[in-house]
Amino acid sequence: TETIKAVVIDGYPARALWVKEFSNFFIPEVDKKLAETGNFKMDWQESYGGSIVKPKGVLEGVKLGLGDIGIVTTIFHSSKLPSQAISAVTPFVAADSVAVAKAVDEIAKEFPTMQKEFAKQNQVYLATGVVLDTYQVFSKDPITSSKDIEGSKVAGAGMNLRYLEGINGAAGVRGGLTDFYNMLDTGLVDKAMLWPEAAKTFKIAEVAPHMLAVDLGAVNSKTITVNADYWKSLPDEVKTALQDVALMYRDHVAGIAMERAAASRDAYVAAGGTITEASAEDRAAWAAAMPNIAMEWSANLDGKGEPGTDMLKAYLAKLEAAGYTGVRDWTAE
Amino acid sequence: MSPVEIGMASVAAIVFLIYMGVYIPVALGVVSFVSIWLMRDNFDLAMNLLKIAVGDSVMEYTFATVPLFTFMGLVVSKAGLGSDIYDVMSSGFRRVKGGIGMATVGANAVFAAVTGSSIASASVFSKVSVPQMLRYDYNPRFAVGVVAGSSVLGMIIPPSAMLIIYSFVAEQSVGEMFLAGIVPGLMLAVAYVAAIWFMGRFFPKFVGGRPASDYEFLPWSEIASKTLPTLGLIFVVLGGIYTGWLTPVEAGATGSLVALLIALARRTMTLKTFWEALLETGHITASILFLITAASIYSRMLGLAGLPNELGDLLAGSNASFFMIMVIYVVMMLFLGTLLDTASIILIVVPLFLPLVEPMGLSLVWFGIITVVGAEIGLLTPPLGISCFVIKATLNDDRISLKDVFLGALPFAGVMLVVLILLIRFPALSLAILN
Amino acid sequence: MVVSAFRKLVMGLSKATNSVAIGANAAGTLVVLGLVGIVNFDVVARGVFNAPFLGAVEVVQFSMVLIVFLQLPDVVRVNRLTRSDGFLVVIGVKYPRFAASLRHVIDSISAVFMALISIAIWPEFVEMLETRDYFGVPGVFTAPWWPIKLVIFLSATLCTLIFLLKVVRPADKPELVRVPEHEDKT
Ligand code: NA
Ligand code: NA
């Protein structure tokens, strides 16, 4: 039996969902597969929580060989990994982690763009992780439609701040997830965009007991990658094992995210929160009022000689096949 | 070499180099670089570690608290807020044996709430309160000892550069660390006052001094004008953070602005002193953050070597008790405290012990408080005790030798140690305010 | 002849690097002021005018790099880089020559370390300049990477030079304490 050393890195702590499942699911599954033939055995060194890199440093860490395998949080790297924003630029389509994870993963494999972006960072794409079911709007005051967001201050992060461009007079306020409770509590903001599981974790029901279920959608934010030089050095059997398990990990993590989402919604209500479903017209109106950030995204990729438009179409078609049709056709001007 | 051996060898090498006088960030960086190079037999990997750590470590939003609170502290001390508070306090404590000493502690505790560093406290109060104590025939050793001891409060009571540094290394919220520092800081101040009373009662010769005759109660209007600016600033800074209206960074910036306005209103700030404060802020920021960068290279080297994993396994396998770990931790901090500055101690020991402490389910906020208090004992111990150095340099008085300062500070270092043990034994002292 | 020409060269270079360091220092100092300004601007814009400045985080991060690396050469120049020089001072009393050579060795090591940082960062700068990489959220606020890498590169190079000049120049007078400039109005 040949032993192969693998250093796994992430800047997030071991208790984070995707990290925990890497330890408890990915690694044992790979070990199990390799044990079938007994030719190879992995010697895992798991370095999480800033012991080698910080959350934003995983991409560079894998690129530079400080880690062999990494869990890259792609939303930090809009400029190096532009195509990863695919689900963030297509809101109001699918509030389903499993469907989005599968669709993004297939786009990564059927089109060369995502892999090329990672190749430029000296790494090989392995799997996509979706860890949240959908962004919703949480509010201090009763909220029944997106009209109630008009003129208010809304806490958000990253691309979802741009969703607010579709709401009259709404001002996005940037903040870290851990600050949202305080921001709402003090009235610094009246509303916040986050997903139910985060709302449960940070006890948002105490300060924003009204949720508008507007289903902005699930977003892919994690990618498992392997350093390219390390990948080349691996025997085929190990490569295959990693790729197979990556597929399982993708569905496994997204599945857990969905389970947690349902439980978190119940917990929100149990903690005194009320949930109002947004009407279809309301969602359509919000989506229609937004700038078409999906087309901005695909045009940007097209401009670089990548098949941006085709990827967008193929992605939405995959979601449609899975039963999710958006309230706005993002491929139309 | 196993990871643990690499870890120990690197600490030994770093301590040796620092003792020889190598710049601390250079010692940390070079040892880490060479360790990676030897360990993996890969020069490029060592270069890559430099590449990722430099810049990456500085680009942290919360680090803006370092220049902002430093600047605020400098402006505040130039505006004379320190001596104002002292005046008020000494009018209150004037009749008690050791009263001026107690007043110094009290004034330091209040001043600490608007400054982020012990150096500022030490230099302000050696000029304000040492001459007063000498005038009333206090023992010079006691006089400088009180100032040295209470200067430590500047970095325990928030805002504090050291709490910020810890929160960065351990990935804790700066706001929570600040809140957690309040009770331990006040506790230390009370312990100092009690110790002074005790010394005055049982070792009157060590304290010396006679009751102040010419102090009068300040009129209320004067008390107000001397305390309100500081209280207002504390209200803005800690209030802003506590209510969540301001992030610590924003509180630092707003505090700086308010401090500038106070200085302007009192006409105590010239263009020259303003520029000096900015310049000094830049110097302090650069040297602290470069040190942090180097320490981050070092802690990543330990991570690459697999030391955290190894220590975790070691802990799981053995029955190392909480008690033993804490004893080792405190002894190590006291040892490093003899020759390193506080920031360096935090940056060296925390990455080593975090992987031991985290799996035990202990609060990392609490761990931060005991780390900062433990590391700050080093400010008072020879041969390198920054607070004592600053006092000696600021006084510039041949009658008081560096040895006097260290000997005077010793009882206060002892009190710190006792408080540290209490904080370790009763985590609620640090954590109660958070819940 | 050769010696004096060399000395002249060293003095000239020292003067040049020192004035660059002082200039960078002044620039970094202004960034500190800018930092105070921009954060307060955001607080007021958000609290009073309901219009937060969405680039505050990136601007603050950017300023931190500027402050640290513009000031670092001057910190090196005035000997304020953190160190524990008790041993050097003590040994300098008895063996001044040995202490002086030890200082030179230390400054040489430091020069090598800073040079390694320069060498490590340079390709990063080139890559960022070519790819025009940025950080932040597109459509919200973005800032380019290359100026950051350039400042770090220039700063580390300048520090290398200053350390080298410390080696070839006669040793500075050792001092136990660098008195801080904190002053209270008393
Ligand atoms: Na303080
Ligand atoms: Na010491």
Side-chain angles (χ1 to χ4, degrees):
Chain A
T1 312
E2 187 190 328
T3 303
I4 298 170
K5 169 125 187 157
V7 179
V8 187
I9 57 171
D10 193 354
Y12 286 99
R15 61 177 177 272
L17 164 69
W18 58 96
V19 181
K20 203 164 98 197
E21 293 313 318
F22 199 95
S23 290
N24 296 346
F25 180 84
F26 194 104
I27 288 178
E29 287 297 328
V30 172
D31 287 345
K32 224 190 296 171
K33 275 209 186 319
L34 293 179
E36 284 166 16
T37 64
N39 294 330
F40 303 101
K41 192 177 173 308
M42 301 299 285
D43 170 18
W44 303 95
Q45 176 187 326
E46 296 174 82
S47 294
Y48 307 131
S51 67
I52 295 183
V53 288
K54 287 185 266 179
K56 287 181 188 171
V58 180
L59 184 69
E60 203 178 3
V62 174
K63 173 187 176 184
L64 297 175
L66 298 181
D68 303 316
I69 300 177
I71 310 176
V72 177
T73 300
T74 51
I75 42 177
F76 294 136
H77 306 287
S78 321
S79 94
K80 292 188 180 77
L81 309 171
S83 66
Q84 287 291 323
I86 191 163
S87 60
V89 297
T90 48
F92 298 105
V93 180
D96 180 341
S97 325
V98 181
V100 168
K102 185 161 178 286
V104 174
D105 187 51
E106 287 173 7
I107 292 293
K109 284 166 182 164
E110 290 163 20
F111 291 85
T113 311
M114 289 186 181
Q115 299 191 43
K116 264 205 288 201
E117 285 169 4
F118 281 110
K120 247 188 168 167
Q121 302 302 317
N122 191 37
Q123 43 210 291
V124 176
Y125 169 94
L126 218 51
T128 284
V130 176
V131 295
L132 61 100
D133 65 324
T134 176
Y135 280 100
Q136 307 285 24
V137 178
F138 292 81
S139 170
K140 289 175 80 72
D141 305 315
I143 180 169
T144 51
S145 90
S146 65
K147 281 258 180 283
D148 296 328
I149 309 173
E150 288 180 3
S152 56
K153 280 184 276 193
V154 187
M159 195 60 88
N160 65 23
L161 286 168
R162 297 214 58 195
Y163 304 165
L164 295 174
E165 289 174 30
I167 305 272
N168 264 334
V173 178
R174 281 173 62 165
L177 209 50
T178 47
D179 309 322
F180 281 15
Y181 181 96
N182 256 334
M183 292 167 85
L184 285 160
D185 192 23
T186 57
L188 189 69
V189 295
D190 333 291
K191 306 195 166 40
M193 284 179 287
L194 67 169
W195 62 100
E197 194 219 341
K200 176 181 168 241
T201 309
F202 295 104
K203 303 193 172 79
I204 295 295
E206 294 174 9
V207 288
H210 305 281
M211 178 186 121
L212 181 65
V214 68
D215 287 354
L216 291 162
V219 169
N220 62 306
S221 57
K222 309 286 166 193
T223 307
I224 312 275
T225 69
V226 187
N227 175 280
D229 305 311
Y230 178 77
W231 183 253
K232 260 180 253 156
S233 77
L234 289 178
D236 286 339
E237 188 185 332
V238 176
K239 281 183 187 167
T240 313
L242 287 173
Q243 278 166 331
D244 291 353
V245 174
L247 212 62
M248 294 157 62
Y249 173 85
R250 175 197 87 191
D251 294 335
H252 177 76
V253 169
I256 293 183
M258 285 311 280
E259 283 167 26
R260 287 196 177 185
S264 304
R265 282 174 71 121
D266 296 345
Y268 180 76
V269 174
T274 53
I275 297 179
T276 310
E277 295 291 332
S279 69
E281 300 78 46
D282 188 21
R283 296 177 72 233
W286 184 349
M290 266 180 64
N292 190 338
I293 52 176
M295 294 268 284
E296 279 175 32
W297 172 87
S298 62
N300 173 38
L301 286 176
D302 290 343
K304 289 180 182 162
E306 299 294 335
T309 305
D310 294 342
M311 282 162 79
L312 181 62
K313 281 186 180 145
Y315 173 71
L316 292 171
K318 282 178 193 300
L319 288 181
E320 195 159 354
Y324 297 100
T325 313
V327 294
R328 171 174 172 183
D329 180 5
W330 293 112
T331 60
E333 195 58 68
Chain B
M1 284 214 306
S2 77
V4 175
E5 284 163 349
I6 291 172
M8 294 205 302
S10 67
V11 171
I14 288 167
V15 169
F16 172 77
L17 289 180
I18 291 174
Y19 198 63
M20 297 305 285
V22 176
Y23 303 97
I24 298 174
V26 174
L28 287 165
V30 167
V31 168
S32 312
F33 188 89
V34 172
S35 304
I36 292 288
W37 186 5
L38 295 180
M39 185 171 74
R40 293 284 186 91
D41 191 21
N42 187 340
F43 182 81
D44 291 339
L45 194 68
M47 285 299 270
N48 287 345
L49 186 69
L50 277 189
K51 199 181 284 186
I52 202 167
V54 177
D56 183 35
S57 305
V58 172
M59 280 193 70
E60 192 74 25
Y61 175 74
T62 32
F63 272 0
T65 44
V66 174
L68 292 170
F69 282 119
T70 305
F71 183 62
M72 183 180 95
L74 291 175
V75 172
V76 154
S77 67
K78 284 185 203 293
L81 295 193
S83 53
D84 277 1
I85 295 294
Y86 170 76
D87 288 346
V88 174
M89 286 284 177
S90 42
S91 101
F93 278 102
R94 72 199 190 290
R95 293 227 187 96
V96 194
K97 171 86 177 161
I100 310 185
M102 294 175 188
T104 306
V105 173
N108 249 305
V110 178
F111 187 62
V114 288
T115 178
S117 94
S118 299
I119 296 169
S121 306
S123 70
V124 167
F125 288 94
S126 27
K127 273 185 300 180
V128 181
S129 78
V130 172
Q132 285 293 337
M133 284 194 263
L134 296 184
R135 195 145 70 86
Y136 287 101
D137 297 329
Y138 277 77
N139 181 347
R141 271 188 191 168
F142 173 78
V144 288
V146 169
V147 173
S150 52
S151 73
V152 168
L153 296 171
M155 288 214 248
I156 295 174
I157 293 177
S160 148
M162 296 308 131
L163 291 174
I164 294 169
I165 290 177
Y166 174 82
S167 58
F168 171 70
V169 189
E171 297 177 323
Q172 297 300 301
S173 132
V174 173
E176 284 194 2
M177 289 307 304
F178 276 10
L179 290 176
I182 295 176
V183 172
L186 293 178
M187 210 175 112
L188 185 60
V190 171
Y192 279 161
V193 171
I196 292 172
W197 178 86
F198 181 83
M199 287 188 270
R201 185 79 204 276
F202 297 100
F203 306 95
K205 271 204 188 129
F206 177 74
V207 176
R210 58 190 155 83
S213 47
D214 54 351
Y215 271 103
E216 282 171 19
F217 267 123
L218 288 174
W220 284 107
S221 62
E222 197 169 343
I223 291 184
S225 84
K226 281 181 188 277
T227 51
L228 282 182
T230 307
L231 294 180
L233 202 51
I234 295 173
F235 177 76
V236 168
V237 172
L238 290 184
I241 295 174
Y242 185 72
T243 58
W245 261 101
L246 302 171
T247 65
V249 171
E250 290 163 353
T254 311
S256 297
L257 195 66
V258 174
L260 273 176
L261 293 177
I262 294 172
L264 277 179
R266 309 178 125 210
R267 299 169 195 284
T268 48
M269 173 82 61
T270 62
L271 209 55
K272 184 166 168 287
T273 52
F274 175 61
W275 181 255
E276 276 170 9
L278 281 174
L279 210 73
E280 175 80 358
T281 303
H283 273 177
I284 292 176
T285 306
S287 50
I288 288 188
L289 287 194
F290 191 58
L291 183 64
I292 290 180
T293 302
S296 129
I297 300 176
Y298 158 74
S299 94
R300 288 159 197 253
M301 178 278 285
L302 293 178
L304 263 175
L307 182 84
N309 313 59
E310 202 81 0
L311 280 181
D313 294 350
L314 212 66
L315 186 74
S318 76
N319 298 351
S321 67
F322 169 73
F323 178 74
M324 269 319 287
I325 291 178
M326 282 299 130
V327 168
I328 295 171
Y329 191 59
V330 171
V331 168
M332 190 158 174
M333 281 195 294
L334 291 180
F335 168 70
L336 291 176
T338 59
L339 75 154
L340 294 191
D341 66 294
T342 315
S344 308
I345 299 168
I346 296 173
L347 292 168
I348 289 172
V349 297
V350 172
L352 283 172
F353 279 79
L354 216 46
L356 280 177
V357 171
E358 203 169 9
M360 295 176 94
L362 299 166
S363 155
L364 293 187
V365 172
W366 161 83
F367 187 64
I369 297 297
I370 64 164
T371 302
V372 170
V373 175
E376 300 226 324
I377 296 178
L379 286 168
L380 306 181
T381 56
L384 184 114
I386 307 272
S387 275
C388 298
F389 283 4
V390 171
I391 290 165
K392 169 73 184 120
T394 319
L395 281 179
N396 202 11
D397 181 340
D398 289 337
R399 288 172 300 171
I400 299 174
S401 70
L402 190 58
K403 190 174 149 202
D404 289 325
V405 185
F406 277 125
L407 283 175
L410 209 57
F412 294 94
V415 173
M416 281 188 86
L417 188 60
V418 172
V419 169
L420 175 64
I421 292 169
L422 287 176
L423 291 174
I424 293 176
R425 180 65 188 75
F426 304 105
L429 289 171
S430 315
L431 300 175
I433 204 166
L434 289 178
N435 303 324
Chain C
M1 265 310 279
V2 179
V3 174
S4 87
F6 177 71
R7 181 164 277 179
K8 249 189 193 158
L9 179 74
V10 168
M11 293 315 269
L13 262 176
S14 280
K15 236 180 171 174
T17 52
N18 283 352
S19 43
V20 175
I22 293 168
N25 181 41
T29 301
L30 290 175
V31 180
V32 174
L33 192 60
L35 181 66
V36 175
I38 199 86
V39 177
N40 276 299
F41 171 77
D42 178 40
V43 170
V44 173
R46 183 186 66 206
V48 183
F49 300 103
N50 206 14
F53 169 47
L54 288 175
V57 174
E58 280 79 18
V59 172
V60 167
Q61 288 177 315
F62 211 100
S63 326
M64 287 313 292
V65 176
L66 290 182
I67 293 172
V68 172
F69 288 97
L70 286 173
Q71 301 270 3
L72 193 60
D74 202 53
V75 170
V76 171
R77 181 184 70 88
V78 300
N79 282 320
R80 284 196 61 172
L81 206 55
T82 328
R83 83 190 309 188
S84 175
D85 51 5
F87 175 74
L88 277 174
V89 172
V90 170
I91 203 128
V93 177
K94 247 187 155 179
Y95 309 99
R97 276 239 191 100
F98 174 71
S101 357
L102 191 54
R103 278 173 191 277
H104 284 166
V105 171
I106 290 169
D107 286 328
S108 311
I109 295 175
S110 309
V112 170
F113 181 64
M114 295 313 293
L116 285 172
I117 293 180
S118 293
I119 296 168
I121 291 293
W122 175 252
E124 289 276 291
F125 162 65
V126 174
E127 193 186 327
M128 293 300 131
L129 191 64
E130 280 169 359
T131 57
R132 296 283 157 151
D133 258 350
Y134 56 81
F135 59 104
V137 185
V140 180
F141 190 90
T142 58
W145 272 111
W146 68 262
I148 286 176
K149 307 288 179 188
L150 180 63
V151 167
I152 297 177
F153 170 76
L154 292 176
S155 172
T157 309
L158 191 55
C159 290
T160 310
L161 275 175
I162 294 174
F163 275 125
L164 282 178
L165 289 166
K166 275 182 197 279
V167 176
V168 292
R169 241 184 10 218
D172 299 318
K173 219 174 128 209
E175 27 172 358
L176 191 61
V177 194
R178 292 164 290 279
V179 186
E181 295 119 69
H182 306 274
E183 269 176 320
D184 191 14
K185 184 186 144 283
T186 46

